[in-house]
């Protein structure tokens, strides 16, 4: 796993360790962790990124089960592509394939990126409702539900996306 990705996971755990005891002591609080749709299913060519996001989802959902009895809620936010500069990075530590056009790759899979202001509004509503796992936009939520119903179909679609991306990367003849 890329070192930068792992370091961010460690910082997330340290952040939780910094606030969780105080929340438990007061019997209330809400932790919100940012993951990604990549943490809920296979995403080829972004393996290090997906691994870290799976870890965040696992940590968050497990902590939610433990923390509920102590008055602390946990929400993990799992959006598809969000329209930020992260989509325009090429060959970052998060990416397995250097030089890959991440914006195009993810847009080809699930459509246009989600506006960050809409995601922020969704997160505020999720906190109010104590939603454990927030998946946005609706098309991403549908993909997540479908992957839970048929993991094999989800893997097939991910494999197909990788093959299409590799074909685009081949030099023209």
């Amino acid at each position: 796993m890329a070192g930068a990705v792992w370091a961010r996971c460690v910082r997330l755990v340290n952040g939780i360790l910094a606030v969780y005891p105080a929340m438990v002591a007061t019997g209330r609080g809400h932790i919100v962790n940012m993951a990604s749709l990549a943490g809920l299913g296979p995403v080829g060519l972004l393996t290090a990124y997906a691994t870290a996001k799976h870890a965040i989802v696992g940590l968050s959902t497990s902590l939610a089960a433990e923390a509920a009895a102590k008055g602390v809620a946990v929400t993990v936010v799992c959006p598809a592509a969000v329209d930020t500069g992260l989509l325009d990075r090429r060959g970052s530590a998060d990416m397995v394939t250097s030089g890959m056009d991440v914006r195009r790759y993810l847009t080809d899979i699930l459509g246009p990126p989600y506006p960050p202001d809409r995601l922020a509004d969704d997160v505020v509503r999720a906190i109010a409702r104590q939603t454990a796992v927030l998946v946005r936009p609706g098309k991403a939520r549908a993909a997540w539900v479908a992957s839970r119903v048929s993991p094999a179909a989800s893997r097939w679609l991910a494999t197909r996306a990788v093959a299409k991306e590799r074909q685009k990367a081949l030099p023209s003849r």
Side-chain angles (χ1 to χ4, degrees):
M1 178 184 309
V5 174
W6 180 246
R8 281 196 295 277
C9 287
V10 171
R11 285 193 298 271
L12 175 80
V13 170
N14 288 336
I16 291 170
L17 291 172
V19 299
Y20 184 63
M23 291 179 176
V24 170
T26 61
R28 63 190 204 114
H30 200 119
I31 296 170
V32 178
N33 291 324
M34 278 304 292
S36 167
L37 184 62
L40 298 171
V43 183
L45 302 178
L46 302 175
T47 305
Y49 179 82
T51 300
K53 298 309 179 178
H54 275 272
I56 294 167
V57 170
L59 168 65
S60 300
T61 55
S62 296
L63 183 59
E66 175 185 320
K70 299 175 183 194
V72 179
V74 180
T75 297
V76 62
V77 183
C78 300
V82 178
D83 201 3
T84 68
L86 180 64
L87 292 179
D88 298 318
R89 291 170 131 183
R90 289 182 181 258
S92 74
D94 295 354
M95 308 306 166
V96 171
T97 305
S98 65
M100 186 171 121
D101 184 342
V102 177
R103 179 179 293 272
R104 184 195 38 74
Y105 178 63
L106 296 177
T107 300
D108 284 354
I109 295 171
L110 278 173
Y114 200 54
D117 56 330
R118 287 190 55 198
L119 182 60
D121 291 341
D122 294 340
V123 171
V124 169
R125 279 191 296 279
I127 292 168
R129 296 176 182 155
Q130 295 195 2
T131 302
V133 180
L134 175 66
V135 182
R136 289 292 183 268
K139 189 173 183 180
R141 184 166 180 75
W144 173 50
V145 170
S147 74
R148 293 179 61 132
V149 171
S150 179
S154 180
R155 282 189 306 276
W156 180 83
L157 289 170
T159 302
R160 187 169 163 241
V162 168
K164 284 175 69 175
E165 183 62 25
R166 286 185 172 150
Q167 189 65 33
K168 289 176 184 176
L170 291 176
S172 299
R173 295 177 195 218

